[in-house]
Amino acid sequence: MKKLIPFLLGGVLVIGAAGCEPPSRTSTNAPDNTSENANAPAQETAQQNQQDATSQTRKDQIESDIRAREQRNNTTGGDADRDDDDLESEVRGKLEANLPASQLTVDAEDGVVKVAGTVPTQEQLNKVPALAQQIKGVKSVDAQKVKVAPATPAPNNNQ
């Protein structure tokens, strides 16, 4: 009985921590969750996000993460039934690498991926569902909360 109590307490803590996991975001300026309304980023912020997302180091990191998860899932035979955190991370990486200057938040539950935030062009908005569907285990994509919001010029405070 003395060994069972710490085990049960540890299990409850692990499950509780996993339930509080924030959704994946393509940038630090992306919405905190998929139900939050997103605003157009400042032009400087959009440029910084684009530079971060298109750097070779970041692209290599995203591709490495995706390959590692796919290898793990291929080994365990879990291609169709993927962990929500893995789906969030892989979809976020795919969107970040292919939609620079976007500010997107990704949340997944039982293979259903929700994406919210902003992209700078209609063309990028049209790509969101197709890019997310490229990840193994994604059953459907809800991108209704993604808006086209070109970056806004920063206010000129030198006047």
Side-chain angles (χ1 to χ4, degrees):
M1 184 68 172
K2 288 183 180 181
K3 292 182 181 181
L4 183 62
I5 291 174
F7 177 74
L8 290 174
L9 184 58
V12 168
L13 290 174
V14 168
I15 291 171
C20 297
E21 186 75 23
S24 292
R25 302 185 312 169
T26 59
S27 71
T28 57
N29 311 97
D32 290 329
N33 59 58
T34 55
S35 62
E36 182 178 319
N37 287 329
N39 298 316
Q43 196 166 23
E44 184 178 305
T45 302
Q47 288 173 343
Q48 182 63 43
N49 291 347
Q50 184 168 6
Q51 288 173 352
D52 290 346
T54 58
S55 74
Q56 190 59 45
T57 302
R58 185 65 185 133
K59 284 182 179 181
D60 292 344
Q61 181 183 22
I62 290 167
E63 290 301 317
S64 175
D65 288 349
I66 290 172
R67 275 193 309 276
R69 283 192 172 93
E70 285 180 348
Q71 286 175 351
R72 183 180 68 220
N73 285 320
N74 288 340
T75 301
T76 62
D79 287 351
D81 189 22
R82 305 283 305 279
D83 182 70
D84 291 339
D85 291 339
D86 285 349
L87 286 179
E88 286 176 12
S89 180
E90 288 181 47
V91 170
R92 179 208 36 85
K94 188 73 155 178
L95 296 175
E96 182 179 350
N98 291 282
L99 304 174
S102 64
Q103 294 184 326
L104 300 172
T105 300
V106 179
D107 195 14
E109 188 171 333
D110 299 325
V112 176
V113 174
K114 292 182 181 181
V115 184
T118 63
V119 293
T121 66
Q122 183 65 41
E123 180 183 4
Q124 286 193 2
L125 175 61
N126 296 342
K127 290 180 180 180
V128 170
L131 288 168
Q133 285 284 6
Q134 291 176 7
I135 302 300
K136 291 179 183 178
V138 173
K139 296 174 184 170
S140 66
V141 179
D142 175 1
Q144 293 178 359
K145 296 246 179 178
V146 180
K147 299 187 308 187
V148 175
T152 57
N156 188 354
N157 294 329
N158 296 333
Q159 295 179 356

